[in-house]
Amino acid sequence: MSSRRSALKNIAAGAGLLSVTEAFAASEKALGSTLNGKINHSVCKWCYGSIPLETFAQECKKIGLTSIELLGPNEWPILKKYGLTCALPSGAGMGIEKGFNDPANHDELVKSYEDIFPKLKEAGYTTVICFSGNRRGVSDIDGMRNCAVGLRRLIPSAEKYNVTLVMELLNSKVNHKDYMCDHTAWGAGLCEMVGSEKFKLLYDIYHMSIMEGDVIATIKTYHKYIAHYHTGGVPGRNEIDEGQELYYPAIMKAIVETGFKGFVAQEFIPKREPLASLKQCVQICDVA
């Protein structure tokens, strides 16, 4: 472990002198390359904005990732070029703050998602991200009812195109003030109210650790409502190594033990050389 840390420190120090590809190649020996196969690995592209998508796709393929996500239809062809999928596409909706908890948004949201469903099916994708929206004075129970009404309008189309709407759980304490879907129990209640397997949750480990803690117990309790996971170090949403408070190997082991067959996506903001950090964090999550 100490040699790995030393290698990463050297890579970070020299990152300004190396190209992205050269720095990644330098990390290969230190980080290894064999994955165990119990976790399906994905990554959120927005965390690596300075790396062109085509370059990023090539390097993700080398690491062993099979997905790059939160990308829209114009970006999917690049993924296919390199044999990658998009485990959780974007490209519909009105953003994080304007969601299904406000009935005034329903018509536009329904149209937006119904427009993307055929594109998802054609691309071979079966999920799409969605959001509750901010509270703006609406009570949690009224917001849940409003979300259910809007989401139920989409369920027939979701079933027709075999797409699952996946609502992200976000913290409203640090990053997304006033966001409504900020506790797992609320999200699970909404799943019950919608009453369809075509609506599930994105459990973001970083966000839910901030809001409610008790990550492993929560996953075990609510796993049947969860279609997708995101990572991130607490505090700060940086690398998920020993520099933060969560122990990701135990969290990943708990996820595997629930029988989860979906994707876990890295969504941390690198503080060191991005691709070296990405590979290290994938391997931290790659439990045997």
Side-chain angles (χ1 to χ4, degrees), residues 33-39 41 63-65 279 282-283 286-287:
S33 59
T34 303
L35 299 177
N36 291 306
K38 291 189 177 180
I39 296 287
H41 296 283
I63 293 172
L65 291 154
K279 183 160 190 177
V282 165
Q283 291 205 321
D286 195 56
V287 292

Side-chain angles (χ1 to χ4, degrees), residues 65-143:
L65 291 154
T66 55
S67 164
I68 303 173
E69 63 185 60
L70 301 185
L71 298 175
N74 292 338
E75 297 157 308
W76 299 341
I78 295 176
L79 303 187
K80 291 190 176 295
K81 178 178 177 181
Y82 294 99
L84 298 169
T85 190
C86 187
L88 188 59
S90 58
M94 301 169 67
I96 291 173
E97 297 179 3
K98 293 183 177 181
F100 286 94
N101 66 346
D102 185 348
N105 298 332
H106 286 180
D107 287 348
E108 184 172 341
L109 287 169
V110 168
K111 182 182 185 307
S112 177
Y113 282 95
E114 287 187 337
D115 284 347
I116 205 170
F117 285 165
K119 298 174 185 176
L120 292 163
K121 183 176 177 63
E122 183 179 359
Y125 301 151
T126 58
T127 61
V128 65
I129 195 167
C130 67
F131 301 98
S132 66
N134 286 3
R135 288 181 171 87
R136 291 189 171 90
V138 176
S139 72
D140 282 1
I141 187 60
D142 286 340

Side-chain angles (χ1 to χ4, degrees), residues 105-277:
N105 298 332
H106 286 180
D107 287 348
E108 184 172 341
L109 287 169
V110 168
K111 182 182 185 307
S112 177
Y113 282 95
E114 287 187 337
D115 284 347
I116 205 170
F117 285 165
K119 298 174 185 176
L120 292 163
K121 183 176 177 63
E122 183 179 359
Y125 301 151
T126 58
T127 61
V128 65
I129 195 167
C130 67
F131 301 98
S132 66
N134 286 3
R135 288 181 171 87
R136 291 189 171 90
V138 176
S139 72
D140 282 1
I141 187 60
D142 286 340
M144 186 186 294
R145 292 191 186 108
N146 292 341
C147 282
V149 169
L151 289 162
R152 284 195 207 113
R153 289 176 57 181
L154 282 168
I155 295 304
S157 293
E159 291 173 346
K160 175 182 176 181
Y161 291 103
N162 190 31
V163 175
T164 300
L165 293 144
V166 183
M167 182 173 285
E168 184 162 15
L169 292 153
L170 298 170
N171 84 75
S172 60
K173 181 179 177 182
V174 176
N175 302 104
H176 300 282
K177 300 290 186 182
D178 202 43
Y179 184 73
M180 181 165 280
C181 186
D182 63 353
H183 281 80
T184 312
W186 188 93
L190 177 57
C191 287
E192 289 290 329
M193 196 174 284
V194 173
S196 171
E197 288 297 304
K198 294 304 179 187
F199 175 72
K200 297 259 185 182
L201 303 176
L202 159 52
Y203 184 92
D204 188 302
I205 297 162
Y206 162 78
H207 286 298
M208 290 303 96
S209 177
I210 289 172
M211 287 305 298
E212 57 194 20
D214 213 13
V215 170
I216 290 175
T218 302
I219 287 169
K220 289 180 176 180
T221 299
Y222 294 107
H223 68 89
K224 72 176 183 178
Y225 304 105
I226 298 169
H228 202 77
Y229 290 91
H230 279 174
T231 74
V234 179
R237 191 164 209 129
N238 303 121
E239 282 85 349
I240 60 172
D241 58 15
E242 65 273 19
Q244 50 87 51
E245 67 189 35
L246 297 172
Y247 185 63
Y248 269 89
I251 295 171
M252 292 300 118
K253 184 172 182 289
I255 289 171
V256 169
E257 288 174 350
T258 68
F260 182 72
K261 302 299 183 186
F263 280 80
V264 174
Q266 301 294 330
E267 197 186 21
F268 65 89
I269 300 168
K271 288 168 50 175
R272 302 188 294 269
E273 197 289 311
L275 291 169
S277 282

Side-chain angles (χ1 to χ4, degrees), residues 48-66:
Y48 304 84
S50 63
I51 305 175
L53 179 57
E54 187 138 2
T55 302
F56 192 61
Q58 294 175 64
E59 301 303 340
C60 286
K61 186 83 172 177
K62 293 177 186 177
I63 293 172
L65 291 154
T66 55

